């Protein structure tokens, strides 16, 4: 397997990206290899400073970088030799099997939709993220930022995408899928959420357990997959990250809360597109980059894209 990594993506690139790749290269499965996209000279300098042979990586030299603060659409169109654009074209042509970046989320999503396209039958892709629950293991939340405005039928698709991910990546045989709402009763919420409930209730594509309130998100007693729009999901996950940092700043240590550290999860897979893509946190440390690469490998090896295609085609 060939894992493509954007060496120039992130607040501390290329240093943290290359260090993360060095850290994880010996943890990959036999036959897996890393291809770095970016400034070849800088990549090799960092490798040599760590007494690491850069020839252990594939390196695709690029001359441009899409910066975090740039307009993603304009930058993607104008910087055709950037590490993100070249990486997506390599993925689309089959030169790599997956692509991961801690760079501009907007540019990554632009590449996912304009170069790779969505899976047939998926109207909108989404971003998912795992988080720890009190009963042990993890739950999945989606969307967490791609679709600020979603239709009820989009949430039905997110339920299929999330259930398929939970089965194949998280190892949950029959994931419980819930709709994030302001109350557990079917009649609660906005017109949007009530219509989404009707579409999801009794459908044959996943095990729907009804609405879930935010107070039960982290218990693990109601749902394994929580579906919501990208606006609400992004607020939830950023609030969780902020609370983790707050506890850390106050010196509170607990094994459960330590699992809210984004570095443990590495990155968020983009679900519903035609190839494996993982988006990492912009402030990723080498440890976070290492986990992002492992997530990319696991997503490909599980055949997630093909299994989502099968699930959607049976809808």
């Amino acid at each position: 397997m060939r894992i493509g990594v954007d060496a120039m993506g992130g607040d501390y690139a290329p240093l943290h990206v290359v260090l993360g790749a060095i850290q994880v290269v010996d943890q990959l499965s036999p036959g897996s290899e890393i291809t770095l996209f970016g400034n070849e000279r800088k990549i090799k300098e960092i490798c040599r400073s760590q007494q690491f042979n850069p020839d252990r990586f594939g390196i695709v030299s690029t001359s441009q970088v899409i910066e975090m603060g740039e307009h993603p659409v304009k930058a993607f169109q104008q910087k055709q030799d950037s590490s993100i654009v070249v990486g997506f074209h390599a993925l689309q042509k089959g030169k790599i099997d997956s692509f991961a970046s801690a760079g501009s989320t907007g540019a990554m999503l632009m590449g996912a939709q304009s170069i790779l396209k969505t899976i047939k039958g998926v109207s909108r892709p989404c971003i998912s993220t795992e988080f720890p629950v009190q009963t042990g293991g993890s739950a999945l939340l989606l969307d967490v930022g791609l679709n600020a405005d979603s239709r009820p039928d989009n949430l039905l698709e997110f339920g299929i995408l999330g259930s398929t991910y939970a089965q194949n990546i998280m190892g949950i045989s029959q994931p419980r899928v819930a709709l994030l709402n302001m109350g557990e009763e079917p009649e609660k919420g906005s017109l949007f959420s009530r219509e989404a409930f009707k579409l999801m209730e009794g459908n044959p594509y996943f095990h729907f357990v009804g609405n879930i309130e935010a107070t039960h998100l982290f218990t693990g007693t109601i749902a394994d997959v929580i579906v919501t729009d990208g606006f609400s999901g992004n607020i939830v996950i950023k609030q969780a990250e902020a609370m983790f940092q707050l506890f850390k700043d106050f010196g509170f240590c607990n094994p459960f809360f330590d699992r809210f550290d984004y570095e443990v999860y590495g990155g968020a897979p983009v679900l519903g597109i035609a190839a494996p893509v993982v988006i990492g946190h912009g402030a990723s440390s080498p440890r976070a980059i290492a986990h992002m690469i492992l997530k990319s490998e696991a997503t490909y090896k599980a055949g997630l894209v093909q299994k989502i295609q099968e699930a959607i085609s049976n809808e």
Side-chain angles (χ1 to χ4, degrees):
M1 173 191 178
R2 299 154 299 176
I3 306 167
V5 180
D6 172 16
M8 312 309 290
D11 297 337
Y12 307 105
L15 178 62
H16 283 194
V17 180
V18 178
L19 292 179
I22 292 171
Q23 185 181 121
V24 80
V25 67
D26 289 325
Q27 300 176 39
L28 298 174
S29 301
S32 291
E33 58 186 43
I34 297 171
T35 298
L36 299 174
F37 292 81
N39 186 304
E40 183 174 7
R41 178 184 59 80
K42 291 182 178 180
I43 291 170
K44 289 184 174 180
E45 284 177 356
I46 296 167
C47 288
R48 291 178 182 130
S49 73
Q50 302 298 309
Q51 290 79 52
F52 181 87
N53 183 0
D55 292 339
R56 293 191 64 188
F57 297 136
I59 299 176
V60 176
S61 185
T62 62
S63 62
Q64 296 176 305
V65 178
I66 295 180
E67 305 290 350
M68 300 294 273
E70 289 188 86
H71 189 284
V73 176
K74 290 182 180 178
F76 196 89
Q77 294 172 340
Q78 294 171 359
K79 294 186 172 182
Q80 289 296 297
D81 197 44
S82 64
S83 50
I84 288 180
V85 175
V86 174
F88 268 109
H89 280 297
L91 182 59
Q92 190 268 335
K93 293 174 182 177
K95 295 180 179 179
I96 54 175
D97 299 303
S98 65
F99 186 56
S101 173
S104 166
T105 298
M108 286 293 288
L109 296 175
M110 179 70 182
Q113 293 180 279
S114 65
I115 295 177
L116 298 180
K117 312 298 183 183
T118 56
I119 291 171
K120 185 178 180 181
V122 175
S123 56
R124 290 188 186 182
C126 64
I127 307 174
S128 61
T129 191
E130 296 179 40
F131 59 87
V133 291
Q134 192 175 356
T135 55
S138 302
L140 186 73
L141 179 68
L142 69 169
D143 182 21
V144 292
L146 180 51
N147 303 283
D149 297 300
S150 301
R151 303 187 307 267
D153 60 305
N154 297 143
L155 298 195
L156 175 64
E157 289 182 4
F158 297 168
I160 299 172
L161 296 174
S163 182
T164 306
Y165 180 95
Q167 287 175 315
N168 293 281
I169 300 297
M170 301 168 69
I172 303 172
S173 58
Q174 190 178 31
R176 300 164 296 170
V177 180
L179 180 65
L180 184 62
N181 207 334
M182 60 185 293
E184 294 183 11
E185 299 84 358
E187 65 275 7
K188 285 292 183 71
S190 62
L191 288 173
F192 161 80
S193 59
R194 295 201 298 272
E195 184 61 29
F197 186 100
K198 291 177 183 177
L199 291 176
M200 299 172 77
E201 185 180 28
N203 77 87
Y205 317 121
F206 51 81
H207 177 43
F208 184 60
V209 295
N211 290 326
I212 186 173
E213 295 184 71
T215 50
H216 298 297
L217 279 178
F218 305 107
T219 65
T221 57
I222 295 177
D224 305 297
V225 177
I226 296 92
V227 173
T228 187
D229 61 275
F231 181 86
S232 303
N234 190 265
I235 290 175
V236 168
I237 208 64
K238 286 184 177 176
Q239 181 63 37
E241 288 180 359
M243 289 301 296
F244 164 75
Q245 189 60 50
L246 186 64
F247 289 147
K248 189 175 179 181
D249 291 344
F250 277 104
F252 179 77
C253 297
N254 181 280
F256 174 74
F257 287 106
D258 288 345
R259 293 175 58 214
F260 279 93
D261 187 349
Y262 72 87
E263 291 187 346
V264 173
Y265 297 97
V270 182
L271 304 182
I273 57 174
V277 172
V278 175
I279 297 177
H281 201 292
S284 287
S285 66
R287 177 171 175 248
I289 294 294
H291 281 106
M292 179 183 74
I293 293 170
L294 289 172
K295 175 75 73 175
S296 192
E297 181 188 47
T299 301
Y300 175 79
K301 290 183 69 177
L304 185 63
V305 171
Q306 292 79 9
K307 286 169 182 174
I308 287 175
Q309 288 173 329
E310 293 169 4
I312 294 294
S313 65
N314 291 330
E315 181 181 345

